[in-house]
Amino acid sequence: MLHSTTFAIPCIKTNSLDILDRYKKEYITLSQALESRERLSKSLNNCREPEFLKVAFEGYLSLLPELGKVLEKFQDNSKTNIQYQWQSTLSSSGKFFSDSFFAFEVAMALTAYATLKLCLAEQNFVSEEEQEINQVSRYLCEAAGIFEYLQDNILPECIIQASIPTPPDIHPNAAAFMNRLALGLAQEKVIHKAQLRCSSEMTLLKLCNAAVQMFTQALAKVSSIQGCEPVTSTILKFAEFHLLLSKAMSCFYLGKVSDMKMEHGLKVACLRYCCEILQKQQIQKLLGKFSFTKLTCSQRALSIEAYQLYQLYQKQNSTVYHEREPDWSTIVYESERLLVKSIPFMLLDNSRTTISQRLQNLRIQEPKEQAVSREKPHSIETQREEDKRKSKNSRNRRVFELCTE
């Protein structure tokens, strides 16, 4: 369950590109980008509605590829450094981070845009309407796609050039963490829709196992985030809560499947473990970290139903079947069934060049030009020597042919 305090959309400073104002007349694209970024900054700082922010973000992101072209020309003709300033999305410090390379601007803007998708998903996350459930799932998969694009194309470039201190927003493993978290939340909506459609316990079990897998992978990525500010504990606890809840649901449906298979000892063990998870002091502490509404009710309803089933199954086994409860570590889980995936995201300019290629050109252009300038005088001399050698070889060949005749 998303909550407004869990994912906060960051702010940006309006004067971070003022240094380029004198190029407005020369580059129309730059003028539009500056105006669009200023509009986005004011919208963020004034906490406008998510739908309004979405329009502002999309207006600025559509200009980023062309802006990269302009900055290439700007860096060729100027030695002035541009400072991009953003507030971190994933850090709890609340301070602004700044850097002078364009990949930082792209990474921070896309991270904030993906966070906005999560906030849009929050609005109808608890809805029972299938159409709204589908829309929430789409927002979450779109966010996952943006984080995947960042991880594969933009953030490796940022890590190379980033200065200290570094926000977690530009760390590839942080993007991988957010990607798995968004997919896990989207899988929860698939489970919710399957419950509304009264799907079989086996289907629900496989769906729950896939959600457990996603949240487990997300938390595993956090331990690999090094060399930057730590990810805020609120998001980590949020992911941990959903992992525990998914595990409890998985145990619940595994118990019901075991009942159908007449595995009476196993069904008692599953329901016992489900109740233990839902009544853990750990999950109760996590509940206190968020302002839950329907999720709290769902967790309580699951806890009540699991406890009632546990008592029934235990009574049946103790009076009729007398099967031994297996050790939990020896239980084999059913295969998972992941029904969500990242929606691909790409930033392209008019020439169909990806912005990641543009960023690489920005970084390697200056060293490459220096190397060419060093090699240029030698290339002329080398060409002359090569021409002389070819001419000499040609004369020797003609002499040899005459002598042969």
Side-chain angles (χ1 to χ4, degrees):
M1 183 67 55
L2 296 173
H3 186 251
S4 57
T5 58
T6 304
F7 297 102
I9 305 175
C11 301
I12 55 178
K13 291 188 176 179
T14 56
N15 61 350
S16 50
L17 291 181
D18 286 350
I19 196 170
L20 300 180
D21 278 349
R22 62 173 179 261
Y23 290 88
K24 279 188 176 183
K25 295 180 180 179
E26 186 175 358
Y27 299 120
I28 298 176
T29 299
L30 181 57
S31 174
Q32 294 174 344
L34 289 172
E35 292 174 0
S36 180
R37 193 180 195 274
E38 185 175 0
R39 189 182 307 114
L40 174 61
S41 176
K42 290 180 179 178
S43 301
L44 290 171
N45 296 336
N46 293 333
C47 301
R48 293 298 302 269
E49 298 80 6
E51 291 80 3
F52 187 91
L53 290 174
K54 182 174 179 289
V55 175
F57 263 112
E58 290 173 350
Y60 180 56
L61 293 176
S62 65
L63 297 171
L64 274 181
E66 296 297 328
L67 181 60
K69 289 182 179 180
V70 173
L71 291 176
E72 279 187 48
K73 298 178 183 179
F74 171 77
Q75 290 185 354
D76 291 342
N77 302 324
S78 175
K79 300 297 182 183
T80 310
N81 287 328
I82 309 166
Q83 289 295 320
Y84 308 100
Q85 297 175 320
W86 279 85
Q87 199 173 31
S88 173
T89 306
L90 305 180
S91 173
S92 59
S93 61
K95 63 182 179 181
F96 281 86
F97 294 87
S98 63
D99 239 310
S100 58
F101 57 95
F102 186 57
F104 178 82
E105 172 73 5
V106 177
M108 299 299 283
L110 288 180
T111 301
Y113 183 55
T115 305
L116 175 63
K117 294 283 186 180
L118 297 177
C119 293
L120 287 169
E122 170 193 5
Q123 293 182 339
N124 295 316
F125 197 85
V126 299
S127 175
E128 300 285 341
E129 298 293 332
E130 185 168 336
Q131 184 177 358
E132 293 181 350
I133 292 175
N134 292 337
Q135 183 61 58
V136 168
S137 298
R138 181 170 183 83
Y139 281 139
L140 292 169
C141 292
E142 286 175 349
I146 297 172
F147 285 120
E148 185 174 328
Y149 175 75
L150 281 167
Q151 178 190 358
D152 296 338
N153 298 280
I154 308 299
L155 299 186
E157 188 71 20
C158 287
I159 290 297
I160 296 174
Q161 304 179 69
S163 58
I164 298 176
T166 302
D169 309 58
I170 64 172
H171 200 291
N173 285 327
F177 160 69
M178 295 299 293
N179 169 265
R180 304 301 191 282
L181 178 58
L183 288 177
L185 294 171
Q187 182 72 7
E188 282 191 350
K189 299 313 299 174
V190 174
I191 296 170
H192 187 191
K193 188 162 64 173
Q195 290 171 335
L196 293 177
R197 291 180 174 180
C198 300
S199 299
S200 67
E201 280 76 10
M202 179 61 75
T203 299
L204 290 167
L205 172 60
K206 292 181 178 180
L207 295 176
C208 292
N209 287 343
V212 171
Q213 186 73 11
M214 283 293 102
F215 292 125
T216 302
Q217 291 179 8
L219 290 171
K221 292 292 181 181
V222 175
S223 60
S224 304
I225 303 175
Q226 298 177 352
C228 62
E229 296 256 340
V231 177
T232 175
S233 60
T234 305
I235 297 180
L236 297 181
K237 291 182 182 299
F238 179 79
E240 185 181 354
F241 175 84
H242 280 273
L243 173 61
L244 290 173
L245 192 59
S246 298
K247 282 184 176 180
M249 293 175 64
S250 179
C251 295
F252 177 78
Y253 288 115
L254 180 57
K256 299 189 78 171
V257 169
S258 302
D259 181 46
M260 292 187 296
K261 293 181 177 180
M262 303 298 289
E263 297 174 345
H264 304 290
L266 178 59
K267 70 182 183 183
V268 175
C270 291
L271 269 296
R272 183 196 301 276
Y273 190 63
C274 175
C275 294
E276 288 178 357
I277 292 175
L278 294 173
Q279 295 174 3
K280 271 184 178 179
Q281 186 178 5
Q282 182 182 14
I283 201 170
Q284 299 303 324
K285 287 182 179 179
L286 291 172
L287 278 172
K289 295 289 182 181
F290 307 100
S291 177
F292 292 118
T293 54
K294 193 160 185 177
L295 183 62
T296 307
C297 299
S298 300
Q299 183 261 345
R300 289 175 180 171
L302 178 62
S303 180
I304 293 171
E305 187 176 359
Y307 184 68
Q308 291 174 348
L309 270 181
Y310 168 65
Q311 287 183 319
L312 175 63
Y313 290 165
Q314 187 183 39
K315 183 178 180 180
Q316 290 175 349
N317 192 47
S318 60
T319 58
V320 180
Y321 304 109
H322 305 288
E323 291 187 10
R324 185 179 63 87
E325 295 181 26
D327 184 73
W328 187 254
S329 59
T330 63
I331 295 176
V332 179
Y333 285 92
E334 298 287 341
S335 59
E336 64 269 5
R337 187 179 179 185
L338 184 66
L339 294 184
V340 295
K341 62 180 181 179
S342 303
I343 295 178
F345 178 84
M346 185 68 68
L347 282 175
L348 295 174
D349 60 18
N350 293 333
S351 61
R352 307 299 295 175
T353 302
T354 63
I355 198 168
S356 57
Q357 294 170 346
R358 183 70 56 193
L359 293 173
Q360 291 179 358
N361 293 338
L362 282 170
R363 183 171 64 87
I364 67 177
Q365 188 172 10
E366 184 177 352
K368 189 175 181 180
E369 289 178 352
Q370 292 176 356
V372 170
S373 63
R374 288 196 301 269
E375 293 174 1
K376 193 172 182 179
H378 301 288
S379 62
I380 298 175
E381 296 176 3
T382 305
Q383 184 66 31
R384 289 176 179 173
E385 292 177 0
E386 183 70 20
D387 292 341
K388 289 180 181 180
R389 187 178 61 80
K390 289 181 179 180
S391 178
K392 185 177 179 179
N393 291 339
S394 178
R395 288 197 302 271
N396 292 338
R397 190 181 302 106
R398 286 198 299 272
V399 170
F400 177 77
E401 290 174 352
L402 290 172
C403 292
T404 304
E405 292 175 356

